Amino acid sequence: MARERKISLNELFAQTKQLLLEHGYEGFTFGLLAERLGVARSAIYKYFENKEELITTYMVNEMEEVFIKLEHIHVYPTFDEQFRFLLDFILYHNDLHEMISIGKRIPENHPKVQENKQRLAQFHKRMYEELEHLIKRGKQEGKIKPHLPNQVILGYIFQSVSVPHFPGISLAEWVESIREIIMYGVMNRN
Amino acid sequence: MARERKISLNELFAQTKQLLLEHGYEGFTFGLLAERLGVARSAIYKYFENKEELITTYMVNEMEEVFIKLEHIHVYPTFDEQFRFLLDFILYHNDLHEMISIGKRIPENHPKVQENKQRLAQFHKRMYEELEHLIKRGKQEGKIKPHLPNQVILGYIFQSVSVPHFPGISLAEWVESIREIIMYGVMNRN
DNA sequence: ATTTAAAGTGACAAGTTTGTCACTTTTGTT
DNA sequence: AACAAAAGTGACAAACTTGTCACTTTAAAT
């Protein structure tokens, strides 16, 4: 009954991500996106009413994938393994953080956008609870300093993804250094 | 010879900062700025040719002030005091980092913009050298772990300003927690 | 009081982005 | 072969942003 699609949703989401990282939320336009997809601008309106709806839909999509991957944390039984998994996870998903901060800019024009933003908030909450649970376990097992507020620890770990990494240092060395700093800090023990 | 100014440069820079943090680089317009200043849009063109020039000029200005404050690090003789000063400094200037990343987006349309960006880059470099010197000193005095790359340590410290701080935790507690994490990490010693 | 020049205004043209709509293309179903 | 319906196109009007320019306002200098 229908004609074959020229626009693949996957491709659309991929280019959306690209453009958001390059131009930021306010610099993102349907014109740019259409050009990248090799399609008329008006075609995109067949799928999304406006850029807010498109971007939030993309984000929900991305969040779902990320969340599924994060759930793999439960294949590891011990705290130490889970903590290591978590750090790797966060460090190798370093655009996630940028996307979250872009998400906060989006105004809630339409009901659909509002719904998407709610779903995003839920994901964020579940993710946060998941991680807080790990922090609590670490404290119970006497591995994490009990006096540091959970929120600060989590915020701190999340923020680490944005530490720039320069050429001249390999990705692996970078990850290992960041891990050590998070766990034991930059100072020598004396 | 001249009429009294309606636009104060200080006010203009303050509103520029506000708007940049709210709307991002691409969402910043002369129209918005003029509205906030209670002035005709065209008046701003008497001072700046376009938004790139305005924004980079503001940034150079801000950078100069910040740099002067940072120089106060030299009133402290010991490494420990300087390191503490540095962390306080960075943590209490937490929008600095956001502004720097906005700065990177700005295209170099005009020669003046190019010049401003060069000056910004110089400030950045001097600041970086200043801090790297401190890190090196820390390593020489056996206080900082020698195997961590300087760049990663610096990037890490700079990044810390962006750790969100939630209501429910006082600013002082937040600063103290971040300081401890940077220095000694989140893990207990065993 | 007159002049001068910086400060600010309002209107215009050019360019971009947005949303919509009638129209064409394509493909599976009858 | 005819049709139904989803997919895509191009053109249009409305809105906004940008840069410019002739013009007015204001305050200090002569």
Side-chain angles (χ1 to χ4, degrees):
Chain A
M1 264 187 195
R3 168 179 175 177
E4 197 179 337
R5 283 198 169 178
K6 212 173 153 186
I7 299 179
S8 103
L9 265 195
N10 276 343
E11 180 64 8
L12 185 144
F13 285 152
Q15 295 296 341
T16 296
K17 181 177 188 172
Q18 276 284 118
L19 283 176
L20 280 177
L21 293 175
E22 281 174 38
H23 299 280
Y25 168 66
E26 345 266 342
F28 178 96
T29 69
F30 271 29
L32 274 173
L33 180 58
E35 193 186 11
R36 293 241 182 146
L37 293 172
V39 115
R41 184 176 56 89
S42 53
I44 303 178
Y45 284 93
K46 283 277 151 74
Y47 300 95
F48 304 97
E49 288 182 18
N50 50 48
K51 83 171 177 177
E52 285 76 29
E53 194 197 321
L54 184 151
I55 292 176
T56 52
T57 305
Y58 150 69
M59 284 183 171
V60 166
N61 213 272
E62 177 101 350
M63 229 4 187
E64 269 166 1
E65 285 178 30
V66 166
F67 199 76
I68 288 171
K69 285 190 208 158
L70 180 61
E71 288 290 291
H72 284 58
I73 198 173
H74 292 122
V75 309
Y76 300 100
T78 69
F79 168 80
D80 294 302
E81 285 169 309
Q82 288 194 349
F83 197 73
R84 171 170 280 264
F85 173 87
L86 173 62
L87 292 187
D88 273 348
F89 178 84
I90 287 177
L91 294 177
Y92 286 110
H93 285 77
N94 48 8
D95 31 20
L96 186 62
H97 182 263
E98 174 88 4
M99 295 305 312
I100 287 175
S101 78
I102 288 176
K104 290 180 190 157
R105 304 199 102 84
I106 303 176
E108 298 179 7
N109 291 332
H110 292 272
K112 287 187 188 173
V113 175
Q114 217 170 336
E115 192 199 315
N116 279 340
K117 289 200 79 174
Q118 271 179 335
R119 293 189 60 192
L120 274 180
Q122 277 173 4
F123 268 118
H124 204 262
K125 186 166 167 253
R126 281 173 61 195
M127 207 159 186
Y128 191 87
E129 285 166 354
E130 186 84 66
L131 301 186
E132 190 172 25
H133 183 260
L134 181 62
I135 301 296
K136 281 181 181 162
R137 181 177 170 189
K139 286 185 176 177
Q140 275 168 4
E141 296 188 11
K143 301 205 164 142
I144 292 183
K145 295 172 180 168
H147 58 280
L148 293 174
N150 293 349
Q151 293 174 324
V152 177
I153 296 179
L154 280 181
Y156 205 80
I157 293 177
F158 257 113
Q159 201 56 39
S160 305
V161 300
S162 303
V163 176
H165 75 271
F166 307 82
I169 299 178
S170 73
L171 183 59
E173 188 182 2
W174 179 82
V175 170
E176 203 45 58
S177 297
I178 296 291
R179 188 205 319 281
E180 178 170 354
I181 298 179
I182 290 177
M183 295 177 79
Y184 306 110
V186 301
M187 306 296 266
N188 265 327
R189 315 180 178 195
N190 22 326
Chain B
M1 267 187 193
R3 169 180 176 176
E4 199 178 334
R5 283 199 169 177
K6 211 174 155 187
I7 298 179
S8 103
L9 264 196
N10 276 343
E11 180 64 8
L12 185 144
F13 284 152
Q15 295 296 341
T16 296
K17 181 176 188 172
Q18 276 283 117
L19 283 176
L20 280 176
L21 293 175
E22 280 173 38
H23 298 280
Y25 168 66
E26 348 265 341
F28 177 97
T29 68
F30 271 30
L32 275 173
L33 180 58
E35 193 186 11
R36 294 241 181 145
L37 293 173
V39 113
R41 185 176 56 89
S42 52
I44 303 177
Y45 284 93
K46 284 276 150 75
Y47 300 96
F48 303 97
E49 288 182 19
N50 50 48
K51 81 171 178 177
E52 285 75 30
E53 193 196 323
L54 185 151
I55 293 175
T56 52
T57 304
Y58 150 68
M59 286 183 170
V60 166
N61 214 271
E62 176 100 353
M63 224 14 184
E64 270 166 2
E65 285 178 28
V66 166
F67 198 76
I68 287 171
K69 286 190 207 157
L70 180 61
E71 289 290 292
H72 285 58
I73 198 172
H74 292 122
V75 308
Y76 300 100
T78 69
F79 168 80
D80 293 304
E81 285 169 309
Q82 289 194 348
F83 197 72
R84 170 170 280 266
F85 173 87
L86 173 62
L87 292 187
D88 274 348
F89 178 83
I90 287 176
L91 294 177
Y92 286 109
H93 285 78
N94 48 8
D95 31 20
L96 186 63
H97 181 261
E98 173 89 4
M99 294 307 311
I100 287 174
S101 80
I102 288 176
K104 289 180 191 156
R105 301 200 104 84
I106 304 176
E108 299 178 8
N109 291 331
H110 291 272
K112 287 186 189 171
V113 175
Q114 216 171 336
E115 191 198 316
N116 279 339
K117 290 200 76 173
Q118 271 180 335
R119 292 189 61 192
L120 275 180
Q122 277 173 3
F123 269 118
H124 205 263
K125 185 165 169 256
R126 280 172 63 195
M127 207 161 187
Y128 191 88
E129 285 167 353
E130 187 84 66
L131 302 186
E132 190 173 26
H133 183 260
L134 180 62
I135 301 296
K136 281 182 182 162
R137 181 175 171 191
K139 286 186 176 177
Q140 276 168 3
E141 296 186 11
K143 302 204 164 143
I144 292 184
K145 296 173 179 167
H147 58 280
L148 293 174
N150 293 349
Q151 293 174 326
V152 176
I153 296 179
L154 279 181
Y156 205 80
I157 293 177
F158 258 112
Q159 200 56 39
S160 304
V161 300
S162 303
V163 176
H165 76 272
F166 306 83
I169 299 179
S170 74
L171 183 59
E173 187 182 2
W174 178 81
V175 170
E176 201 44 58
S177 297
I178 296 291
R179 188 204 319 281
E180 178 170 356
I181 299 179
I182 290 178
M183 294 176 79
Y184 305 110
V186 302
M187 304 298 264
N188 265 327
R189 315 182 177 194
N190 19 325

